[in-house]
Amino acid sequence: MILTSRLLYEFDLRYNRLQSSFDSSIRLEDKLAILNQALRIVFADLVSKAEINSHYRAALKPLEKKEVSYKKLTSSSKFDIFETPKDEFRMLRFRAIANKEGCGTKEIPILFFQTDDLDSSLISSYWKPSFAWEIAIGDEGSEGYYVWHDSDFTVASAIGDYYAVHPELQCPSMSANKYYIDWNGKKQTRDVNLLLDKDFVFDMIVDIGILIAKSIKGDTRDYELQLNKILTTEKINS
């Protein structure tokens, strides 16, 4: 864990170097809003690269939830619907505990298809749900995760791994009154710190925060180019 107060200190230190060209006065709440925007950008980038780069996956471990049991919402003769966790950012693995009369119980991986491919998959002899061939089909909808069994078996439960959304950073301990009303209109009285404790993540968040602050102050030159440079520069030594 990295203290949000440390992020704010580093942000101020780097941003104040620009005060000859930019107004350096930024409210605490606005700094935190900027750092949270930077965190969202960095987090999404880490998740997109985690499967191809072990360093990024290691950095995300504090937010990787494993062996989570999903709540079943409804059942039908064709599919069951399981609740999407409120804190889920991206699914990593999803499987069903399936039963079939006379055949026992086993774990079956759930294969996700694009919605426009779902109908053809359900009737395909290769991809349709099958207890024998250990195939269940998944799809995501507004109600939750659909697990298609097509009456070939029953789904007793569903278990998955996922990356959780990072909570918003807060730091009322650095305000004069030890509290403030944040950008969501909520009163904040407790610090919320950065769970991703790798130094390269810290540096990227601060660098992108500076870039966002500059753009807010009117310096939008090469924003996308500079953002991509920050995200693609390897800083994964720690």
Side-chain angles (χ1 to χ4, degrees):
M1 184 180 71
I2 293 175
L3 296 178
T4 300
S5 57
R6 181 186 163 199
L7 277 167
L8 286 164
Y9 175 83
E10 190 69 21
F11 176 89
D12 285 341
L13 186 65
R14 298 188 200 179
Y15 186 71
N16 287 340
R17 294 172 187 167
L18 307 172
Q19 62 183 331
S20 59
S21 303
F22 301 98
D23 176 11
S24 61
S25 177
I26 305 177
R27 292 190 316 151
L28 173 64
E29 296 92 318
D30 294 336
K31 291 176 193 175
L32 286 162
I34 288 169
L35 288 172
N36 274 297
Q37 184 178 344
L39 170 59
R40 290 192 295 272
I41 293 171
V42 172
F43 182 62
D45 185 69
L46 291 175
V47 171
S48 71
K49 296 174 179 176
E51 294 306 307
I52 58 174
N53 189 312
S54 60
H55 292 283
Y56 293 116
R57 181 168 185 181
L60 289 166
K61 279 191 179 298
L63 290 171
E64 186 175 349
K65 296 199 172 183
K66 304 183 76 66
E67 299 296 314
V68 176
S69 181
Y70 285 62
K71 179 183 178 182
K72 185 185 289 191
L73 298 176
T74 61
S75 296
S76 75
S77 61
K78 298 292 185 180
F79 59 80
D80 296 339
I81 302 176
F82 290 85
E83 186 176 41
T84 305
K86 288 182 173 60
D87 66 341
E88 183 183 287
F89 182 83
R90 178 174 293 181
M91 169 75 71
L92 297 174
R93 190 167 64 131
F94 201 38
R95 55 209 188 278
I97 306 301
N99 301 319
K100 186 166 184 174
E101 189 174 351
C103 299
T105 301
K106 60 182 171 181
E107 218 175 74
I108 296 179
I110 300 170
L111 306 176
F112 281 81
F113 290 89
Q114 295 292 334
T115 301
D116 53 0
D117 294 328
L118 187 60
D119 288 339
S120 57
S121 301
L122 288 169
I123 62 175
S124 166
S125 58
Y126 294 102
W127 295 115
K128 67 180 181 180
S130 169
F131 187 85
W133 294 102
E134 299 184 0
I135 297 173
I137 292 179
D139 187 29
E140 188 174 3
S142 59
E143 296 180 58
Y145 287 113
Y146 288 66
V147 179
W148 295 80
H149 48 74
D150 209 20
S151 296
D152 186 69
F153 53 87
T154 60
V155 179
S157 60
I159 301 170
D161 305 341
Y162 64 87
Y163 287 128
V165 175
H166 196 293
E168 288 189 322
L169 304 172
Q170 302 288 352
C171 199
S173 65
M174 292 189 69
S175 68
N177 297 317
K178 305 305 178 186
Y179 75 88
Y180 52 75
I181 305 301
D182 72 6
W183 42 94
N184 299 307
K186 296 180 179 179
K187 183 177 181 179
Q188 299 294 338
T189 59
R190 297 178 63 183
D191 288 5
V192 178
N193 298 307
L194 180 65
L195 301 177
L196 308 175
D197 57 1
K198 299 296 184 182
D199 286 343
F200 80 93
V201 176
F202 172 92
D203 287 332
M204 284 198 294
I205 291 171
V206 175
D207 287 344
I208 293 174
I210 298 296
L211 188 61
I212 293 169
K214 288 171 62 179
S215 71
I216 291 172
K217 294 293 184 179
D219 183 3
T220 58
R221 293 171 297 175
D222 300 323
Y223 175 87
E224 292 295 334
L225 182 64
Q226 293 182 59
L227 176 60
N228 289 331
K229 184 177 179 181
I230 294 169
L231 292 174
T232 56
T233 300
E234 295 293 334
K235 298 179 179 180
I236 54 180
N237 294 323
S238 60

